[in-house]
Amino acid sequence: MKKIIYLKPLLNFFFLGLLITTISRFVLFIIYKDRVVQTADYWMIFPIGLRMDLILLSYISFLPALLLSVLPHYYLEKIKKFFAWYFLSFLFLLLFMELASHDFINEYDTRPNKLFIDYLIYPKEVLGTLFKSYLSSMIFSFILIAAALYISVKNARFLFYPKYSDYKTKLILFPLVAFLLFFGARSSLVSKRPFNASNAIFSTDQLTNNLGLNSLYTVGYALYSIKNEGNAEKMYGKMDSQEALARVKKYMNVAAGDFLDPELPLFHIQRADTILERPYNVVIFLQESLGAEYVGSLGGLPLTPEFDKLTKEGLLFTNLYATGTRSVRGIEAVVTGFLPSPSESVVKLSNSQTGFYTLAQNLKEYGYDTSFIYGGMANFDNMAAFFNGNGFKTIIDEANYKDDKTAFKGTWGYSDEDLAVKANAYFKSKAEKPFFSLMFSTSNHEPFEFPDGRIKLYDKNKNTVNNAMKYADFSIGKFFEMAKKEAYYKNTIFLVIADHNTRTYGKNLVPINKFHIPALLIGPNVPKGIDYAKLCSQIDIAPTVLSFIGMDVKNPMPGRNLMKLPERTPGRAIMQFHNNNAFRVGNDVVILQPNKEPLQFKMQNDTVLLPTKLNPEMAKDALGHITAASYLYQKRKYKMKGQK
C-alpha cells in the first residue's frame, strides 16, 4: 500500500467524485421514482451511471496522474497547490452541475445539455427567472456549496497534496496507472467503439436513460459538439432568416393557407386523397451505400435482381439524389426530412437530441407503434440517443440477436438476412395498431462480410463491394418474400431507399453522379410498375411516403410531396460534399463553397458540368436553404407543434 501512496490525491478525487454523482443519482431516482420504476430494468441506471462516472473522472485525471507519476517529489512539492486547485475545481463543477440537474429536468425532462450553455449568454434573464421560480433551490445549493467549500479548503492539504514515494517505484507503476485510466476512459477493451451516451440507453423513457448519465458529462458533450455546428453565415454569406425561409417555402409546393403556425415557419398540413379508418403501416428499409451504379434497373451493374423484380410491384424513383455522403446524413434526410446544413447531421448534434421532428415522432402522435431495427450497435454515430429522444419507442440492435438462430455476424453486426428475419417477426407481433419502423442494413459496408452460399458471386474474390451489394439485394428479396406471407403486408407502405452511395469522389466540386441513389415505394395504393423520372431529392421522399398512408398529416418537412408536384415544376436536389453545397434545379447547378463566390454550371450529364453565368436568384435560393437549416436548428423550430 505504501508503494501507491503517491496516488492518494487521485484516489481521493475518484472517491469524492463518485460520492457526489452516486448520491445525486439516488436522490433523482427517489424524486422521479414513480416514473422510473415503470421501466422494467430501471435499476440499470446505477451500474450504467457508475460506468459513465468513471469515464468522466478518468478523463479528468489524465494530467494529474501523469505529473504524479513522472515528476520527482522535489518538483511535486513546488506545485502541490496545483493539485488541490485542480481537483477541487472539478469536484465543485461536478457538484454544481448535479445540484442544477433537478430544476433543469423539471423544466426540460432531461439532464442539462446545450440549452444549459445557451442560457449562460442571457445572465440577466436567467438570474431573474431563477430568483422568481427557483429561489429555494438556489438558497439550498448556495448553502451546500458553501459548506462543501469550507470543508474542502480546510482539508485540501490532507486530501490532495502529493505524498512522497520512491521515484523508481512510480516509474515502474506508471504503465499500469496509464492503462487503468485508459481503460476507465474507454470503458471497454473488446468493443470497437468507446462506451458513450448511446450505450446508456436501455429503455424507451428519455429521462430514465438520462439518470444513468451525469450532468457534467452531458454539458461537456454539448460543448464538444459545438465545433460541429458550422456557422453558415461565416462560411457562405449572410442572409436574413425570414428571406431564407421564404426561399425554402417557394420550393415546397404548399399553399400559403396550409402553413399553420408562424412560430414554426415550415409547419403545415399535408392532405391525403383518401382518409382510411386505420391508416397504413410504414416500413423504411434503409440500405447502406446502395448507389444507383450498383442497381440494374437504374442502369448500373447487374447486382440487384431481387430489387429489380420488385420494381414491377411499385413506384421506382429513377432520378433521386442523396443529400450527403454518410449514413447519418441519409438518416437525417429520410427520417426527419431536414435540409442538409454546414454542420454535422442532426443525428449527432446536441440541440436535436430531443424535441426534433422525425417521422417516428410524427406518427407516434397519431397512435403508431415506432421502432428502429438494426443488426449492428445502435450507439454508432449516436443513432440510439437521437432515436430514443425523438419518437422511437423500441430500439432493436445487436444485443437483441444473441438468443436468435442467426446466419452470420460480421464486423458491423448481424447480417442483413438476420435483420430481415428479426424485423418480420417483430412486425407480425404488431397487429393491434399501425406501426412505423426504420430498418437499417449493414452488410454492404466495408469489409463486405456476408454468409456463404447465398448468392452467385459477381466477383471471384468473395469480400468485394459488388458481392456485398448482391448479398444486400438477396436480403431485400428475402424480407419481401417473408412479408408477403404475413397479414401485415397488405396494410403496409414499404420504402426501400439508400442512405448514400459508396466512396464519393470525382473531379467536380460536387461529384453529382456519386449522389444518385435508388428508392422504391410498394404498398396497397402505390402505383405499380411506374417510374418517377423527374429530378428529386432524398428530402422529398418522406413527405411523399406520408401521402400514401391514408390520413392528413401535419409536419414541418421542407421536401415536396412528389405525387402533387405539377408537371411544369422543375425537379430540385440538394447535395453536400464536405463543405461544398450543390443546389440543382433541372440541369442548372449552383455550388457554394466556404468564403468564395457562388459558381454555376450547366449539366451536360452527371459527370460533365459546364461553367455558365451565375443566376443571382438561384444563388440566393441555394444560400437560403443553408441559412434556413441553420436557423431552424439553432432556434429549435423544426418540430411538431407542442413538442418540447
Side-chain angles (χ1 to χ4, degrees):
M1 192 69 180
K2 289 183 178 180
K3 291 184 177 180
I4 63 169
I5 193 170
Y6 76 99
L7 292 175
K8 184 178 178 181
L10 203 65
L11 297 174
N12 286 335
F13 171 70
F14 266 81
F15 172 76
L16 292 172
L18 290 174
L19 187 66
I20 292 170
T21 55
T22 302
I23 291 175
S24 173
R25 187 171 293 110
F26 183 76
V27 170
L28 291 173
F29 166 71
I30 295 300
I31 293 172
Y32 300 104
K33 182 180 178 182
D34 290 343
R35 175 171 167 184
V36 173
V37 295
Q38 294 178 34
T39 298
D41 297 325
Y42 66 87
W43 55 268
M44 286 289 291
I45 64 175
F46 295 102
I48 289 174
L50 177 62
R51 200 169 178 181
M52 296 303 302
D53 298 342
L54 287 172
I55 289 171
L56 177 69
L57 297 175
S58 295
Y59 273 114
I60 295 171
S61 298
F62 276 126
L63 176 60
L66 177 65
L67 296 176
L68 288 168
S69 298
V70 303
L71 289 181
H73 189 70
Y74 172 78
Y75 293 103
L76 291 175
E77 272 291 300
K78 290 182 175 294
I79 60 169
K80 60 186 179 183
K81 290 184 178 179
F82 162 80
F83 293 95
W85 283 108
Y86 184 92
F87 287 129
L88 285 175
S89 295
F90 277 105
L91 286 173
F92 276 92
L93 190 56
L94 195 64
L95 177 61
F96 171 76
M97 292 308 308
E98 292 303 313
L99 288 172
S101 297
H102 174 243
D103 290 334
F104 195 92
I105 290 172
N106 276 346
E107 188 71 26
Y108 298 105
D109 205 44
T110 187
R111 279 187 180 270
N113 54 19
K114 189 175 180 294
L115 274 175
F116 189 91
I117 302 166
D118 290 341
Y119 287 156
L120 294 179
I121 64 175
Y122 305 109
K124 181 180 177 181
E125 293 84 350
V126 171
L127 287 174
T129 301
L130 291 174
F131 274 109
K132 291 178 181 178
S133 303
Y134 301 104
L135 183 59
S136 58
S137 295
M138 289 182 64
I139 293 173
F140 172 79
S141 298
F142 178 82
I143 293 173
L144 188 58
I145 289 175
L149 181 63
Y150 174 78
I151 295 170
S152 299
V153 171
K154 195 171 183 179
N155 292 279
R157 181 189 303 271
F158 170 75
L159 291 169
F160 300 121
Y161 279 14
K163 309 298 180 184
Y164 177 81
S165 184
D166 177 69
Y167 186 64
K168 183 178 180 180
T169 301
K170 294 199 302 181
L171 292 180
I172 292 172
L173 291 175
F174 177 63
L176 176 61
V177 174
F179 169 78
L180 290 174
L181 285 177
F182 172 80
F183 176 76
R186 202 176 190 280
S187 196
S188 174
L189 294 178
V190 295
S191 174
K192 295 183 289 292
R193 303 176 190 92
F195 196 90
N196 58 43
S198 283
N199 295 106
I201 293 171
F202 66 97
S203 78
T204 59
D205 188 320
Q206 174 73 9
L207 174 59
T208 302
N209 294 331
N210 265 258
L211 294 187
L213 304 173
N214 63 70
S215 296
L216 185 55
Y217 178 93
T218 56
V219 170
Y221 181 77
L223 280 168
Y224 171 80
S225 298
I226 288 175
K227 71 180 182 65
N228 296 323
E229 298 174 23
N231 189 314
E233 180 179 318
K234 287 184 178 179
M235 294 176 72
Y236 304 107
K238 187 175 182 179
M239 178 177 283
D240 176 73
S241 59
Q242 296 308 308
E243 179 185 353
L245 292 166
R247 290 183 178 276
V248 170
K249 287 181 177 181
K250 182 172 70 173
Y251 285 85
M252 287 176 61
N253 194 42
V254 174
D258 287 339
F259 289 99
L260 304 174
D261 189 343
E263 290 300 311
L264 300 174
L266 303 187
F267 190 63
H268 64 280
I269 187 166
Q270 183 175 320
R271 303 183 192 279
D273 289 333
T274 304
I275 302 297
L276 302 174
E277 184 176 342
R278 170 174 165 157
Y280 291 130
N281 311 315
V282 177
V283 172
I284 299 175
F285 198 169
L286 188 63
Q287 295 294 309
E288 172 69 50
S289 305
L290 185 61
E293 63 192 276
Y294 304 105
V295 179
S297 52
L298 294 180
L301 295 174
L303 303 176
T304 56
E306 298 299 329
F307 181 89
D308 297 342
K309 282 191 294 185
L310 287 168
T311 62
K312 297 178 177 61
E313 302 175 27
L315 178 64
L316 176 66
F317 297 86
T318 61
N319 203 9
L320 171 69
Y321 288 79
T323 59
T325 60
R326 294 202 57 217
S327 295
V328 284
R329 190 63 79 185
I331 290 170
E332 173 187 72
V334 173
V335 177
T336 79
F338 194 59
L339 296 163
S341 66
S343 63
E344 281 269 19
S345 163
V346 294
V347 176
K348 300 181 74 173
L349 295 179
S350 61
N351 218 24
S352 49
Q353 297 307 297
T354 58
F356 197 85
Y357 175 84
T358 66
L359 287 174
Q361 181 67 47
N362 196 167
L363 296 178
K364 184 179 180 181
E365 294 188 10
Y366 289 96
Y368 278 63
D369 178 86
T370 58
S371 61
F372 171 56
I373 308 176
Y374 185 45
M377 294 186 292
N379 72 312
F380 179 69
D381 267 346
N382 199 56
M383 291 187 296
F386 177 79
F387 291 148
N388 181 263
N390 291 297
F392 286 81
K393 178 184 176 184
T394 302
I395 294 177
I396 297 173
D397 72 351
E398 187 175 297
N400 300 101
Y401 291 74
K402 292 179 180 178
D403 298 327
D404 296 353
K405 183 180 179 181
T406 55
F408 182 81
K409 183 181 179 184
T411 301
W412 288 91
Y414 289 94
S415 69
D416 286 0
E417 63 184 283
D418 293 321
L419 167 67
V421 171
K422 175 70 80 173
N424 183 61
Y426 183 79
F427 301 153
K428 285 166 61 177
S429 70
K430 296 297 170 183
E432 68 280 3
K433 62 180 180 178
F435 61 82
F436 166 83
S437 187
L438 172 67
M439 303 164 58
F440 189 19
S441 76
T442 60
S443 295
N444 42 341
H445 192 296
E446 198 169 1
F448 308 122
E449 300 168 306
F450 55 91
D452 294 325
R454 267 50 175 188
I455 60 168
K456 181 179 179 181
L457 298 181
Y458 182 82
D459 295 327
K460 185 176 180 181
N461 295 326
K462 180 187 176 187
N463 299 118
T464 67
V465 61
N466 291 332
N467 288 334
M469 294 295 177
K470 196 169 182 182
Y471 172 72
D473 176 72
F474 161 83
S475 300
I476 293 172
K478 181 167 184 173
F479 172 70
F480 276 91
E481 181 184 359
M482 292 185 295
K484 287 176 181 178
K485 297 175 183 177
E486 306 301 335
Y488 73 82
Y489 182 80
K490 67 180 184 297
N491 296 315
T492 303
I493 305 296
F494 296 90
L495 169 66
V496 182
I497 186 171
D499 58 355
H500 56 84
N501 201 339
T502 51
R503 179 172 171 254
T504 304
Y505 60 93
K507 64 179 181 179
N508 297 312
L509 290 171
V510 177
I512 291 175
N513 62 307
K514 290 290 184 177
F515 285 78
H516 190 193
I517 59 170
L520 175 65
L521 265 177
I522 295 176
N525 60 347
V526 177
K528 291 179 172 55
I530 302 297
D531 291 351
Y532 184 90
K534 182 179 286 190
L535 173 69
C536 52
S537 173
Q538 204 173 25
I539 66 170
D540 298 326
I541 300 301
T544 302
V545 169
L546 292 182
S547 71
F548 288 107
I549 65 175
M551 66 177 179
D552 296 341
V553 182
K554 299 174 183 177
N555 70 81
M557 292 189 288
R560 297 159 153 177
N561 173 7
L562 298 174
M563 299 299 97
K564 294 290 182 68
L565 192 65
E567 182 63 33
R568 67 182 183 277
T569 302
R572 181 268 335 257
I574 306 167
M575 292 157 273
Q576 185 184 76
F577 183 61
H578 301 308
N579 285 328
N580 294 342
N581 290 265
F583 186 81
R584 178 183 173 188
V585 179
N587 287 325
D588 294 308
V589 183
V590 167
I591 295 180
L592 303 182
Q593 302 174 82
N595 306 310
K596 291 187 177 181
E597 292 297 316
L599 298 174
Q600 186 161 338
F601 301 86
K602 177 70 74 173
M603 288 185 57
Q604 187 170 316
N605 54 49
D606 274 5
T607 57
V608 179
L609 276 64
L610 304 176
T612 188
K613 183 180 179 181
L614 181 70
N615 179 339
E617 278 302 300
M618 187 173 171
K620 289 180 180 178
D621 288 343
L623 178 59
H625 281 72
I626 295 174
T627 303
S630 293
Y631 172 80
L632 292 168
Y633 167 75
Q634 297 287 352
K635 301 299 183 182
R636 298 177 65 88
K637 290 182 178 292
Y638 193 75
K639 58 185 178 181
M640 298 290 293
K641 189 171 183 178
Q643 184 182 359
K644 293 185 178 180

